[in-house]
């Protein structure tokens, strides 16, 4: 993977509950890191065919590992196309250089 393929940008965030001065709670996003990403949408490739039966993911993201940050399914990816809930995280080839994330696009319910 080279920087040429990592032509997108995304923020890794976590949502937290915050209380205001009057005691009401609200959710707030905290940006943990901003990274360059390679993004692949769901399509008919061999990799997606193998994942089709096991995953509800809509997109695959790859980015360089961030020292001191352990990306988990509690985090959310935000890019120009919206928010993505992380469904699985994997260290590519176990080398600690790249992280591969399968994520599901968050769609607001109409109503």
């Amino acid at each position: 993977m080279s920087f040429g393929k990592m032509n997108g940008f995304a923020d890794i965030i976590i949502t937290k509950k915050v209380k205001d001065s009057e005691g009401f709670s609200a959710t707030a996003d905290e940006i943990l890191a901003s990274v360059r990403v390679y993004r692949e949408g769901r399509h008919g490739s061999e990799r997606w065919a193998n994942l089709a039966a096991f995953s509800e993911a809509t997109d695959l993201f790859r980015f360089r590992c961030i020292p001191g940050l352990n990306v988990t399914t509690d985090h959310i990816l935000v890019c120009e196309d919206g928010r993505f809930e992380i469904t699985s995280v994997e260290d590519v080839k176990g080398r600690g250089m790249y992280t591969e994330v399968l994520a599901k696009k968050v769609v607001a319910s109409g109503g």
Side-chain angles (χ1 to χ4, degrees):
M1 185 74 40
S2 65
F3 278 124
K5 284 193 168 193
M6 291 188 193
N7 54 9
F9 293 94
D11 293 330
I12 301 170
I13 66 168
I14 190 162
T15 56
K16 292 185 174 184
K17 296 220 183 241
V18 179
K19 285 192 176 183
D20 62 8
S21 61
E22 297 176 359
F24 294 102
S25 65
T27 58
D29 293 340
E30 180 183 343
I31 297 175
L32 301 175
S34 295
V35 293
R36 292 176 65 106
V37 296
Y38 165 73
R39 179 177 168 204
E40 181 179 306
R42 187 175 199 139
H43 54 69
S45 72
E46 183 178 334
R47 174 149 178 80
W48 281 106
N50 292 337
L51 292 171
F54 305 108
S55 178
E56 59 184 18
T58 58
D59 290 86
L60 176 139
F61 292 89
R62 282 193 196 112
F63 52 89
R64 288 194 180 262
C65 287
I66 303 157
L69 177 63
N70 186 19
V71 179
T72 65
T73 56
D74 296 333
H75 297 122
I76 296 172
L77 285 172
V78 178
C79 64
E80 62 189 19
D81 292 336
R83 296 168 73 96
F84 294 84
E85 290 180 352
I86 297 175
T87 57
S88 73
V89 180
E90 182 181 344
D91 182 11
V92 177
K93 296 185 181 180
R95 294 182 181 171
M97 291 179 62
Y98 295 98
T99 301
E100 183 175 272
V101 169
L102 291 174
K104 178 177 75 171
K105 185 165 178 116
V106 175
V107 180
S109 61

